[in-house]
Amino acid sequence: MRHIMSYDIYIVGIGIKWIEHITLEVDRVLGFCKEILYIERAPGIEEYFAEKADFVTNLTDLYSEDSERTETYHEMATRVVDSALEHSPVAFALYGHPTIYAYPPFLVREMAASLGLSVKLLPGISALDCLFCDLAIDPSVNGIQMFEATDLLLREHPINTAAATVIWQIGSLETALFSSARSAASRFDRFRDYLLRFFPEHHPIYAVYSQPHPMLKSQVHKFEISKIEQFSTVLHSAVTLYLPPRMPSEVKNVELLSKLQDPNYLRNLTAT
Ligand SMILES: C[S@@+](CC[C@H](N)C(=O)[O-])C[C@H]1O[C@@H](n2cnc3c(N)ncnc32)[C@H](O)[C@@H]1O
């Protein structure tokens, strides 16, 4: 199928599980791009991209130990835009979903706008989607809130314990620098103390590493907040935390509740 309208840059999510999460839409778009620039380390992914486009560039190698992650993101965005100026259309492929806890796509959009280049964002399966399946959770039951781990501590966001909580990027807690080193157990002290402002010490945390490849299984570790330092070795850069609500929230508006099954009330809500 031909594309109806072409953009200079496609920013696409490729999901979490190797090439198995790539949507038909993204697969089709990659097939007409001249270059694919990507952030992903999975073995075999380069070969898949090489079948799609003449030029394939792995931007993951731009990360270096102790460097500022934002500087690396600027470098990545510049490479994508330069490539589009040279031979559009190009694709910028990122694991997961391209706008969920991912800064480079926003830099690309800004740079592209200032140069008159058009950009299209295409969704991918996020680590959040995988977490819902790995833990068999429906986020609508109690509602859900999400925080970035370091941002939670910086802004001291209040946590609503009646809703579920998802915490991203625990593996890069308390630093803006890139590091592939394992965390020290004491790294999580401030984080644990912050959670204990809202939850009792026995409240469970689920640390989820969702299946990154069909040959590997998802890993889920469940532990009490007060024991987090014992799990420092499993809290790596591809882990997301989930905390269930303390207790299900109660219905407060009983007057509205009484109307939910009332056909006459429904008639008031709908246009005739
Ligand atoms: C920079 S963000 C990118 C998120 C990505 N855009 C997405 O939609 O999933 C990196 C964070 O995603 C989460 N993550 C990435 N891979 C994961 C996996 N296989 N299992 C669980 N969480 C993962 C972790 O919270 C990690 O710190």
Side-chain angles (χ1 to χ4, degrees), residues 14-24 45 48 125 211-216:
I14 56 169
I16 295 296
K17 194 165 106 185
W18 189 55
I19 59 171
E20 290 199 343
H21 279 180
I22 294 176
T23 63
L24 292 177
I45 203 96
Y48 163 77
I125 295 177
Q211 186 182 22
H213 191 277
M215 303 288 280
L216 300 170

Side-chain angles (χ1 to χ4, degrees), residues 79-265:
R79 295 277 287 273
V80 172
V81 171
D82 282 351
S83 164
L85 287 171
E86 203 180 311
H87 49 209
S88 70
V90 301
F92 180 28
L94 302 96
Y95 68 90
H97 179 95
T99 66
I100 298 185
Y101 291 92
Y103 185 41
F106 294 95
L107 292 172
V108 168
R109 285 184 84 233
E110 263 175 45
M111 291 180 190
S114 66
L115 293 164
L117 295 169
S118 56
V119 175
K120 179 75 177 165
L121 280 156
L122 298 177
I125 295 177
S126 168
L128 186 67
D129 300 301
C130 301
L131 180 142
F132 291 150
C133 285
D134 285 329
L135 298 181
I137 283 166
D138 178 346
S140 73
V141 175
N142 297 294
I144 199 149
Q145 62 206 315
M146 305 200 296
F147 304 103
E148 198 277 338
T150 306
D151 195 58
L152 178 65
L153 302 183
L154 283 175
R155 295 178 207 278
E156 300 192 344
H157 288 293
I159 299 177
N160 171 7
T161 59
T165 307
V166 170
I167 301 178
W168 297 75
Q169 303 203 144
I170 189 66
S172 41
L173 188 66
E174 296 192 13
T175 184
L177 308 179
F178 176 81
S179 169
S180 56
R182 275 210 323 235
S183 292
S186 58
R187 181 177 201 164
F188 304 98
D189 288 355
R190 191 197 314 257
F191 181 75
R192 177 202 56 220
D193 292 347
Y194 189 72
L195 292 183
L196 291 177
R197 286 200 210 169
F198 304 91
F199 296 98
E201 58 181 33
H202 298 306
H203 195 77
I205 298 182
Y206 294 80
V208 182
Y209 175 40
S210 295
Q211 186 182 22
H213 191 277
M215 303 288 280
L216 300 170
K217 285 189 176 157
S218 294
Q219 290 170 24
V220 178
H221 292 90
K222 182 184 176 192
F223 49 86
E224 296 174 2
I225 293 179
S226 58
K227 305 241 165 77
I228 190 167
E229 76 281 358
Q230 294 174 24
F231 290 82
S232 59
T233 53
V234 299
L235 300 180
H236 55 74
S237 63
V239 161
T240 303
L241 303 183
Y242 172 83
L243 286 85
R246 265 183 91 165
M247 57 187 74
S249 57
E250 288 167 9
V251 171
K252 303 247 171 40
N253 192 334
V254 284
E255 185 262 339
L256 175 59
L257 181 66
S258 70
K259 290 181 169 159
L260 299 185
Q261 316 259 2
D262 179 347
N264 291 326
Y265 185 66

Side-chain angles (χ1 to χ4, degrees), residues 63 68-78 103-104 107:
Y63 285 115
E68 272 236 22
R69 292 202 301 269
T70 6
E71 272 175 27
T72 310
Y73 296 151
H74 275 93
E75 223 177 308
M76 290 171 170
T78 306
Y103 185 41
L107 292 172

Side-chain angles (χ1 to χ4, degrees), residues 27-38 45-57 87 89-91:
D27 181 77
R28 178 176 64 79
V29 163
L30 294 178
F32 61 73
C33 284
K34 302 217 174 82
E35 180 169 2
I36 301 169
L37 302 101
Y38 69 99
I45 203 96
E46 172 118 21
E47 288 76 0
Y48 163 77
F49 288 143
E51 281 178 16
K52 298 275 165 197
D54 292 340
F55 303 97
V56 175
T57 306
H87 49 209
V90 301

